[in-house]
Amino acid sequence: MDETKEDVPTQSDNEEKDQVVMGESSRTKGWRAIDYMIANEYTNPYVQEWLDLPFIPTIRHDPLWRSFLNQKALKKEISESMALYKRVSIVIDQLRAEAVDSHVSLQDIVLFDVCSGKGNATAVLSFMFPNLSIYMVDKNKKMNISHVTNLNNVQIEYRDIFQVGKFVDWTNKVTQGKIGIFLGSHLCGDLSEIVIDVFNKCGNVRALILAPCCLSKRKRQIADTAVRLKIDNYMYWTTHLYHMIAHTCRRNIDQDDNVFSKKNNYILAVKPTITSNTSPSSSSSSTTL
């Protein structure tokens, strides 16, 4: 009976395998986060839509965007920015539809990316709304934000929102004769409460889009209450923030499962349009927009 010959790798087989590995390594050498993201063909709708946007080929080859496109959490940042963009579009359409002056244009609207960090949301919104004025507001002057320095409709402001009085005065000055919209993407701890406080005090800021993040460790009472009521900590924190918004606003909470984060609640609030027959004190509130 013939014996079956065992397949033993030859030297040429090993060399061919090494060439494949080396070729793969050579192909990915110098890749950034965006290159791996494209190669992995993520099916997330926000990431896919972002990759299909017309400005992506341009910024991929722009050295100013290298750091932005090489963030470790790029797909998460993109999903959050696109989620914000979707909600900004809804709010803008609503504000324009409700405006007393039917000729309100995008030039009359000012976006404030509050506690903006590196400006991930600002970057997307700048391209999607080139006729809007956008203020990218943060107090950290040490971040690399080279990618937003050449965006014509973006103004960078280094301000501390914890100085509430000064922040309110500045916001009221900037929004004089305009319609302001506050944006807060994944604000940690007390920042969410501060942003709501400023929003409530700024008459010309008509809308708020807030994605709260973690609960401050100092908020033990809120955490303990959530445990006692057997409610998810994050959901209870979101509800607490919702009720901090002036009750004359139309308010809504929704969850976005297309965001790469478990902290994916969004609070939308729109102040009532003031006419000769309507005042904030007489306007009713709703839990939906």
Side-chain angles (χ1 to χ4, degrees):
M1 184 172 66
D2 295 336
E3 295 182 0
T4 303
K5 187 177 181 179
E6 182 179 359
D7 290 331
V8 178
T10 64
Q11 181 178 356
S12 59
D13 290 334
N14 288 331
E15 288 176 350
E16 182 178 354
K17 181 178 179 180
D18 289 341
Q19 289 175 0
V20 171
V21 173
M22 290 176 63
E24 185 71 16
S25 176
S26 175
R27 183 174 74 89
T28 60
K29 185 178 181 180
W31 274 25
R32 297 161 296 171
I34 186 173
D35 300 312
Y36 286 102
M37 192 168 64
I38 292 173
N40 287 331
E41 298 181 348
Y42 286 109
T43 57
N44 178 278
Y46 284 163
V47 171
Q48 284 297 324
E49 183 175 354
W50 186 86
L51 289 172
D52 290 337
L53 292 173
F55 60 83
I56 299 303
T58 300
I59 68 174
R60 282 189 69 189
H61 301 288
D62 188 336
L64 291 177
W65 288 81
R66 181 168 183 82
S67 177
F68 176 90
L69 297 175
N70 199 33
Q71 299 178 73
K72 291 182 179 179
L74 182 61
K75 65 177 183 178
K76 173 179 176 292
E77 298 292 348
I78 288 173
S79 69
E80 292 172 357
S81 298
M82 292 301 291
L84 203 60
Y85 158 66
K86 298 293 185 182
R87 287 159 178 81
V88 169
S89 299
I90 292 171
V91 168
I92 286 178
D93 288 344
Q94 183 176 7
L95 289 174
R96 295 182 71 183
E98 294 180 352
V100 176
D101 181 357
S102 59
H103 299 292
V104 169
S105 66
L106 290 179
Q107 287 88 344
D108 297 315
I109 298 174
V110 182
L111 298 182
F112 295 86
D113 187 2
V114 184
C115 306
S116 59
K118 293 184 178 181
N120 296 307
T122 292
V124 171
L125 293 168
S126 173
F127 284 109
M128 303 306 287
F129 298 106
N131 294 320
L132 284 182
S133 295
I134 304 175
Y135 284 88
M136 178 177 155
V137 190
D138 204 286
K139 70 174 184 178
N140 188 349
K141 298 181 180 181
K142 297 181 180 180
M143 293 181 293
N144 180 1
I145 55 173
S146 58
H147 53 284
V148 298
T149 54
N150 288 339
L151 299 178
N152 295 329
N153 60 334
V154 173
Q155 184 165 328
I156 301 167
E157 288 282 339
Y158 294 106
R159 295 182 180 274
D160 185 358
I161 197 170
F162 282 95
Q163 298 179 1
V164 174
K166 292 182 178 180
F167 202 96
V168 169
D169 291 341
W170 170 74
T171 304
N172 285 335
K173 182 178 179 180
V174 171
T175 56
Q176 189 171 4
K178 302 284 186 178
I179 298 173
I181 301 175
F182 269 7
L183 314 175
S185 183
H186 277 237
L187 301 189
C188 294
D190 297 331
L191 283 174
S192 292
E193 290 186 323
I194 297 296
V195 167
I196 291 174
D197 184 30
V198 174
F199 169 71
N200 287 338
K201 293 175 178 177
C202 293
N204 294 328
V205 178
R206 290 282 316 285
L208 167 68
I209 304 172
L210 175 64
C213 193
C214 54
L215 174 65
S216 171
K217 293 181 180 179
R218 293 190 295 271
K219 307 292 184 182
R220 286 307 315 166
Q221 183 178 359
I222 293 176
D224 292 343
T225 302
V227 171
R228 178 170 53 83
L229 297 175
K230 298 181 180 180
I231 299 175
D232 175 72
N233 186 301
Y234 177 60
M235 191 65 225
Y236 189 75
W237 171 234
T238 304
T239 305
H240 164 78
L241 295 171
Y242 169 92
H243 287 293
M244 283 186 62
I245 299 170
H247 292 184
T248 52
C249 296
R250 292 190 306 279
R251 300 165 294 167
N252 180 53
I253 297 174
D254 73 292
Q255 191 174 68
D256 196 329
D257 293 332
N258 290 323
V259 172
F260 281 109
S261 173
K262 294 181 179 179
K263 304 290 193 300
N264 59 352
N265 288 344
Y266 285 81
I267 302 173
L268 276 67
V270 177
K271 293 175 181 175
T273 302
I274 300 177
T275 67
S276 58
N277 298 321
T278 307
S279 64
S281 60
S282 63
S283 301
S284 60
S285 64
S286 172
T287 56
T288 58
L289 286 170

